[in-house]
Amino acid sequence: MSNSTINISIEGNIGAGKSTILSIIQKWLPVNIVLEPHEKWQNVGGHNLLEKFYTDTPRWAYTFQTYAFVSRILAQQQNQQLSSINILERSVFSDRYCFAKNCYESGIMSALEWQLYKEWFSWLVDAYVSPMKGFIYLQADPAVCYKRLLKRNRSEEVNVSLEYLEKIHAKHEKWLIGKNEQYRDVPVLILECNKDFEHDIEEQEKHLQSISEFLNIPKKNNIKKKIQEIAL
């Protein structure tokens, strides 16, 4: 991969470990991080749209999914840097091929809403989204993700079920491993994330090494070695 305006996204199910891996990447690799606009979703003119989506999904599916990809594009435009590697917390493509598509196939989003979504999506992506150079897929068993959700106990996620996570997992597998959606030729790095690596230095180092090689950039330091130096 060349080193000029490269956009890479971290993809994976809810609870797969995106926040943890991003914090590790930000600390140890010379890249620019673009986070999901969670705060915007939680405060749209004083309304928590994310909570509304999970509380009454049929009512708010189209509204949330549309706002999600629009706000994501805005966040990426505002925070991405030229002549650097931008690591995105999810992309508009997981919005489209995993979350919104699941809403439609589950009967939560109507055929008309799905058609409107796709038309808005195509226009905005063609006009405002830079090509993706790669995806980093945090692959985790839905049951593991569900346990992590219960542990972190976020108010918006209280209604997220294991069945929902299983569906989202299947969509990620179909898209990133089955390669039967857009961006079939874009390289995908698969990181197995069933093991809790938040406090596991060895596991962090393993993931970081894989990411460093995938991006073709050097690490700032060896995590384990640096921590040992600090301890001394």
Side-chain angles (χ1 to χ4, degrees):
M1 295 180 184
S2 66
N3 195 32
S4 58
T5 318
I6 295 174
N7 289 320
I8 306 288
S9 69
I10 301 290
E11 303 290 354
N13 209 339
I14 305 167
K18 293 181 298 302
S19 297
T20 300
I21 204 74
L22 283 165
S23 66
I24 295 168
I25 291 172
Q26 188 169 40
K27 186 174 182 179
W28 299 102
L29 294 178
V31 299
N32 177 52
I33 301 294
V34 182
L35 299 176
E36 281 188 316
H38 282 118
E39 292 183 0
K40 283 192 173 184
W41 301 346
Q42 294 169 318
N43 185 9
V44 185
H47 300 279
N48 190 331
L49 184 56
L50 182 60
E51 185 176 56
K52 287 180 180 293
F53 170 70
Y54 283 132
T55 302
D56 188 358
T57 307
R59 166 63 181 85
W60 295 102
Y62 173 76
T63 305
F64 174 74
Q65 296 299 340
T66 301
Y67 187 69
F69 81 73
V70 172
S71 59
R72 193 185 301 280
I73 291 173
L74 290 172
Q76 291 172 9
Q77 286 186 328
Q78 292 166 359
N79 294 289
Q80 70 179 1
Q81 297 177 0
L82 299 177
S83 301
S84 69
I85 297 178
N86 298 300
I87 304 295
L88 316 178
E89 185 179 11
R90 287 211 183 101
S91 66
V92 293
F93 302 103
S94 52
D95 283 341
R96 162 72 168 78
Y97 295 116
C98 299
F99 294 94
K101 190 172 185 179
N102 177 70
C103 286
Y104 169 63
E105 292 183 351
S106 298
I108 296 168
M109 191 184 292
S110 70
L112 174 57
E113 289 172 327
W114 179 233
Q115 184 60 38
L116 293 172
Y117 176 95
K118 290 189 292 183
E119 291 185 15
W120 276 113
F121 181 91
S122 296
W123 174 69
L124 281 168
V125 168
D126 289 345
Y128 297 105
V129 176
S130 301
M132 298 300 303
K133 298 298 184 181
F135 298 105
I136 300 173
Y137 175 34
L138 309 189
Q139 188 181 48
D141 188 276
V144 172
C145 294
Y146 187 62
K147 288 180 181 178
R148 291 173 181 166
L149 258 65
L150 294 177
K151 182 178 179 180
R152 70 191 189 190
N153 195 30
R154 294 177 183 172
S155 60
E156 293 92 352
E157 296 173 345
V158 67
N159 293 311
V160 177
S161 66
L162 175 57
E163 180 184 9
Y164 178 75
L165 295 180
E166 289 171 342
K167 290 179 179 179
I168 297 301
H169 174 76
K171 287 288 183 290
H172 278 88
E173 294 282 304
K174 184 178 180 180
W175 169 43
L176 293 171
I177 296 180
K179 295 281 191 175
N180 58 353
E181 301 288 6
Q182 193 174 2
Y183 282 101
R184 294 181 183 88
D185 299 326
V186 174
V188 177
L189 171 64
I190 301 172
L191 299 179
E192 194 280 306
C193 292
N194 282 328
K195 190 173 182 179
D196 186 0
F197 56 91
E198 184 175 4
H199 305 292
D200 188 325
I201 301 303
E202 297 285 351
E203 198 73 5
Q204 289 182 23
E205 181 66 33
K206 184 182 73 174
H207 289 328
L208 194 62
Q209 183 64 38
S210 296
I211 295 169
S212 176
E213 292 174 359
F214 183 68
L215 300 178
N216 194 27
I217 56 175
K219 296 178 295 180
K220 294 178 182 177
N221 211 324
N222 178 283
I223 299 178
K224 187 175 182 180
K225 180 180 177 182
K226 188 66 176 178
I227 289 176
Q228 290 173 340
E229 289 174 356
I230 293 172
L232 296 174

